[in-house]
Amino acid sequence: MTIAFLITLALLLGMGIALYFQMKAGRKQAEEQEQLLKDYQRRVDEQQKLLDDYRALEKNFDSVGEGYEQALLAFDKMDEETQKAKQANEALEKRCAALQEELNSLQHSSSHQAEVMAPVLADLQQIVKTNSDPKLMALVGKLSDMGDIEGDQPISRIDNVLVQQIADDAVKASGIDKIDYLKFNLQVAPDAAATMLSTNVQKATRALFHLLDNALKFTTEGSVTLSVAVDMIKMQAIYTVEDTGSGIEAADTERIFEPYVKLNQFFDGQGVGLTVARNIARRLGGDLIFDADFAGPGSRFVLTLPI
């Protein structure tokens, strides 16, 4: 009985051990299968990612291809525009060269004409002084102005006269002292009346004439004052023309010296008087300025000439 029990127990124990190892082996196999399944899923995920990356790359490549084609088209258009610009530039350079030649020719012709006109004007001025014909004086003055609008050559200071003589001659030429609707004042400092000036009388008088004429045009009532002084430190004769006219806006204080600029189209003239006056002054070694500090009413111009 005992032996039978032991045999049965041994068989049961053996079967239990066998079942344990079988279950262990089955669990290990299941774990291996699970790991294989995970590895398979990971490979599937990787392949899917690769596929997605490929599709994205393919899409980007298509975009790049379209961009490349657009870039090629833009480059071709830019190259075409560059060629057009190059041709236009070449044509412009040729035109500029031709214009420069014309300008050089005109300058040479203008210089030659000025040389020819100089003695003619001198003869006319002598005739004017002899006959004192106002119309002829005005005509000669206008002819003289044509060469002084943009001339840049220094004017020879060949005359030695009293500082006051320039003022007297300019007043006479303008006739401003005979105008009945305004008051004209001539103020000459004692030292100016006794000081000699080395200048070109005709040109200096013409410059001052234009200042008086300008004041006369823009002063319909009130007064015009011509002050004559000298600065022995700076060795300058100073002619100041002050009027009670319409005045000049701050924005126009330099523009008025440009040729053919007229602030008021209702007044006579070509808009060259102040241009000529400043050009003459500078070519004589002096200057002409608009006094921006003048409180008004009206305007004040200051002409300086070297003594």
Side-chain angles (χ1 to χ4, degrees):
M1 185 75 178
T2 303
I3 294 172
F5 175 77
L6 291 173
I7 292 172
T8 302
L9 181 63
L11 288 172
L12 289 173
L13 182 62
M15 290 175 64
I17 292 172
L19 181 61
Y20 168 76
F21 281 108
Q22 186 177 1
M23 291 177 62
K24 183 178 181 181
R27 187 163 50 247
K28 182 177 180 182
Q29 186 177 6
E31 290 176 352
E32 289 177 351
Q33 289 177 352
E34 183 179 0
Q35 183 63 40
L36 287 172
L37 183 61
K38 289 181 179 179
D39 291 343
Y40 175 76
Q41 185 63 44
R42 179 173 57 80
R43 290 190 182 93
V44 170
D45 292 342
E46 290 177 350
Q47 289 178 354
Q48 183 63 42
K49 185 176 183 303
L50 288 173
L51 181 60
D52 291 342
D53 290 344
Y54 173 77
R55 288 173 178 171
L57 183 62
E58 187 179 38
K59 184 177 181 180
N60 290 335
F61 181 78
D62 292 339
S63 299
V64 170
E66 292 177 1
Y68 179 72
E69 290 178 0
Q70 292 177 356
L72 284 177
L73 291 174
F75 179 78
D76 291 340
K77 185 176 181 180
M78 184 176 66
D79 184 60
E80 182 180 351
E81 293 296 330
T82 301
Q83 293 298 324
K84 289 181 179 179
K86 183 178 179 181
Q87 293 174 357
N89 187 55
E90 290 176 352
L92 183 60
E93 288 180 352
K94 290 180 180 178
R95 180 58 179 162
C96 287
L99 287 174
Q100 185 63 47
E101 290 181 2
E102 290 180 13
L103 178 61
N104 293 337
S105 177
L106 286 173
Q107 288 177 338
H108 177 73
S109 176
S110 177
S111 176
H112 180 67
Q113 288 176 5
E115 293 175 358
V116 173
M117 285 294 294
V120 175
L121 284 174
D123 291 341
L124 285 174
Q125 287 159 6
Q126 188 62 41
I127 295 172
V128 167
K129 288 180 180 180
T130 304
N131 297 336
S132 299
D133 185 334
K135 292 184 179 180
L136 186 57
M137 289 175 63
L139 177 59
V140 172
K142 289 180 180 179
L143 288 173
S144 176
D145 288 343
M146 297 306 296
D148 290 321
I149 295 176
E150 295 181 351
D152 57 2
Q153 295 298 316
I155 298 175
S156 299
R157 295 156 57 191
I158 56 176
D159 303 311
N160 293 300
V161 296
L162 289 171
V163 170
Q164 183 177 349
Q165 182 179 331
I166 302 299
D168 292 339
D169 291 350
V171 169
K172 181 180 179 181
S174 67
I176 195 170
D177 57 335
K178 294 180 174 57
I179 303 299
D180 55 7
Y181 59 82
L182 59 80
K183 181 180 180 181
F184 175 69
N185 302 305
L186 175 60
Q187 301 173 353
V188 182
D191 53 351
T195 302
M196 297 297 292
L197 176 67
S198 176
T199 189
N200 182 302
V201 173
Q202 186 268 326
K203 293 294 186 180
T205 299
R206 191 66 184 170
L208 187 53
F209 161 83
H210 279 300
L211 292 188
L212 295 174
D213 186 59
N214 184 74
L216 182 58
K217 286 178 183 177
F218 292 95
T219 307
T220 56
E221 61 180 2
S223 64
V224 175
T225 301
L226 170 58
S227 301
V228 184
V230 292
D231 186 335
M232 300 309 294
I233 296 177
K234 295 182 179 181
M235 297 298 289
Q236 290 180 336
I238 305 170
Y239 301 90
T240 304
V241 177
E242 180 180 314
D243 64 63
T244 60
S246 55
I248 297 172
E249 297 292 334
D252 295 321
T253 55
E254 279 302 311
R255 198 168 71 90
I256 55 175
F257 291 106
E258 296 176 5
Y260 309 108
V261 170
K262 296 181 66 175
L263 300 184
N264 191 325
Q265 301 298 324
F266 294 101
F267 291 102
D268 294 333
Q270 301 300 318
V272 299
L274 293 177
T275 306
V276 169
R278 173 178 273 188
N279 194 20
I280 289 175
R282 291 181 173 178
R283 290 165 63 202
L284 284 171
D287 203 357
L288 171 61
I289 64 168
F290 171 80
D291 187 355
D293 296 328
F294 181 57
S299 306
R300 177 190 289 160
F301 288 87
V302 181
L303 169 69
T304 56
L305 297 174
I307 293 177

